[in-house]
Amino acid sequence: FVTLFDGLDFSLISFTLPYLRDELHLDASMMGLVTSAAFLGQMIGSLAGSYLADLYGRRPVIIWCTVIGALLTFVTGFAASAEMIIGLRFLGGLAIGGLLAPAWSLNIESMPSGKKATAVTIIMLGFSIGGAAAGQVTNLLAPLHGWQSVFFACGAGTMALALILV
């Protein structure tokens, strides 16, 4: 479920971008920056999260990154400029990337030797299903309540998961 919500939060920008473009009057280069900020954060976060998980344990890193990611996704709904969205998406990408490697490690280590490939498949399916759900959530909420509602709802959902993890 952690990877499902991360896939959801990570992919929201792709589906809310048309709303952001229209409301914030983004040109093509700014849309590229808005879209790529989370990818850069995820790359750096994956390296940092792996290291921190080796120091402090996988579970604490997964929980903290889930909480931080949820907060940053929620706060993105308050962003009033492209620069704010870029910054928040970069930081959110750090959190999402920070928990992916520890989540993989924890799940693979806890599976019997014959089921490790199944664990990897489930983790990847979770991220992909969450990414696919981002379009549906956006189509459900954004036309009636604005692009902000998508980030509010998904941030709140991810926070609910974080509380369950704790």
Side-chain angles (χ1 to χ4, degrees):
F1 283 109
V2 168
T3 58
L4 186 143
F5 277 93
D6 282 342
L8 175 68
D9 292 351
F10 191 75
S11 298
L12 290 177
I13 201 70
S14 300
F15 298 100
T16 58
L17 192 59
Y19 299 97
L20 293 167
R21 178 196 62 216
D22 294 345
E23 186 171 319
L24 301 176
H25 310 289
L26 303 179
D27 61 15
S29 63
M30 191 57 79
M31 286 191 303
L33 292 172
V34 165
T35 304
S36 63
F39 288 103
L40 178 62
Q42 185 181 28
M43 180 184 67
I44 295 167
S46 292
L47 296 170
S50 300
Y51 178 73
L52 293 171
D54 286 341
L55 290 177
Y56 301 109
R58 290 159 185 28
R59 189 172 186 278
V61 171
I62 292 167
I63 291 171
W64 276 107
C65 285
T66 302
V67 168
I68 292 167
L71 290 171
L72 289 166
T73 298
F74 190 87
V75 169
T76 300
F78 292 111
S81 69
E83 293 79 13
M84 284 181 72
I85 293 171
I86 291 168
L88 290 167
R89 295 302 294 166
F90 173 76
L91 294 172
L94 289 173
I96 290 169
L99 72 80
L100 286 176
W104 279 59
S105 298
L106 184 64
N107 282 285
I108 292 169
E109 290 168 354
S110 64
M111 295 297 283
S113 61
K115 300 291 184 187
K116 293 184 186 299
T118 303
V120 171
T121 301
I122 291 169
I123 292 167
M124 287 306 300
L125 280 174
F127 196 84
S128 298
I129 291 168
Q136 305 310 313
V137 171
T138 302
N139 287 338
L140 179 70
L141 296 175
L144 297 174
H145 306 289
W147 63 266
Q148 299 89 342
S149 66
V150 178
F151 289 97
F152 294 148
C154 292
T158 304
M159 186 57 76
L161 174 65
L163 295 175
I164 291 168
L165 290 176
V166 171

